[in-house]
Amino acid sequence: MALRQILNDNHPVLRQPAREVIKINSGVLRLLDDMIETMREAEGVGLAANQVGVSKRILIASPDGESIVELINPTCAENEGEEVGVEGCLSIPGQYGEVPRAERIKVKALNREGREIYLEAEGLLARILQHEIDHLDGILFTDKALRMVDPEELQNDKTGEESSDHKGEVKS
Ligand code: NI
């Protein structure tokens, strides 16, 4: 495994829709392993392949910092409800914003063995998956944020469950 460089938001690859994975070969598996190491090193909760400069529809998520969800060619099959929550992004360091997302989603994707899987998610995992699928479509959270939030405001806000649990450290 190796660390990869996380690109920042002025890199054009972050604005291009990522390409579908045609074949899950050793390069794709190595990329997944490297993305996990890179996300953990950066203390993020999710990462999309184009954030490390690879235009492939691959994302990972780790809402609890331990278990890992790996999705290849993910598409959002269904979504329900709406919830506003604070997000940050490893490609946009130091910035946070309030972003509306679906509360519950169903995602269809391939796993690393190439099997089709359906995943139902809610709460933080649903938010991360929507953030990462947006990355794969060239969309950043700042495009959708209702307002940006001062990081100091996050540190002081102990009322919202999400912000008090993560103190503005939810970056993906
Ligand atoms: Ni991000």
Side-chain angles (χ1 to χ4, degrees):
M1 294 213 278
L3 285 176
R4 306 230 181 173
Q5 195 196 343
I6 298 175
L7 303 175
N8 68 24
D9 62 330
N10 56 31
H11 197 289
V13 77
L14 282 173
R15 286 308 196 174
Q16 290 155 7
R19 290 189 213 105
E20 192 117 336
V21 175
I22 306 297
K23 190 165 189 279
I24 301 172
N25 55 21
S26 59
V28 166
L29 299 180
R30 198 177 322 123
L31 172 64
L32 274 168
D33 292 339
D34 289 355
M35 283 171 64
I36 292 168
E37 193 178 348
T38 303
M39 177 186 68
R40 287 195 162 138
E41 168 78 15
E43 297 182 336
V45 293
L47 192 66
N50 50 349
Q51 288 183 277
V52 295
V54 181
S55 181
K56 288 188 192 299
R57 301 191 76 82
I58 297 174
L59 67 81
I60 57 169
S62 181
D64 57 7
E66 292 211 355
S67 62
I68 300 278
V69 174
E70 302 172 333
L71 300 179
I72 298 168
N73 297 340
T75 52
C76 207
E78 257 178 66
N79 59 50
E80 214 182 273
E82 192 187 273
E83 200 168 54
V84 176
V86 175
E87 293 180 22
C89 181
L90 294 172
S91 295
I92 314 175
Q95 291 195 46
Y96 298 91
E98 288 181 349
V99 185
R101 300 283 187 190
E103 270 180 286
R104 285 172 297 282
I105 59 168
K106 270 187 197 166
V107 176
K108 188 179 126 182
L110 300 175
N111 65 12
R112 67 158 66 209
E113 282 83 40
R115 273 196 299 272
E116 200 164 85
I117 52 170
Y118 289 87
L119 178 69
E120 288 185 28
E122 57 179 12
L124 183 57
L125 179 58
R127 176 166 297 275
I128 298 168
L129 294 177
Q130 291 169 84
H131 177 114
E132 304 311 332
I133 290 171
D134 271 359
H135 269 303
L136 299 178
D137 291 329
I139 298 165
L140 299 173
F141 85 91
T142 44
D143 300 343
K144 292 187 168 176
L146 301 174
R147 69 174 190 108
M148 297 307 285
V149 178
D150 189 325
E152 275 183 28
E153 196 180 327
L154 292 177
Q155 301 290 342
N156 298 332
D157 179 12
K158 304 277 183 196
T159 53
E161 195 184 307
E162 201 140 293
S163 46
S164 67
D165 280 358
H166 302 282
K167 299 192 178 69
E169 297 298 320
V170 183
K171 298 171 292 192
S172 54

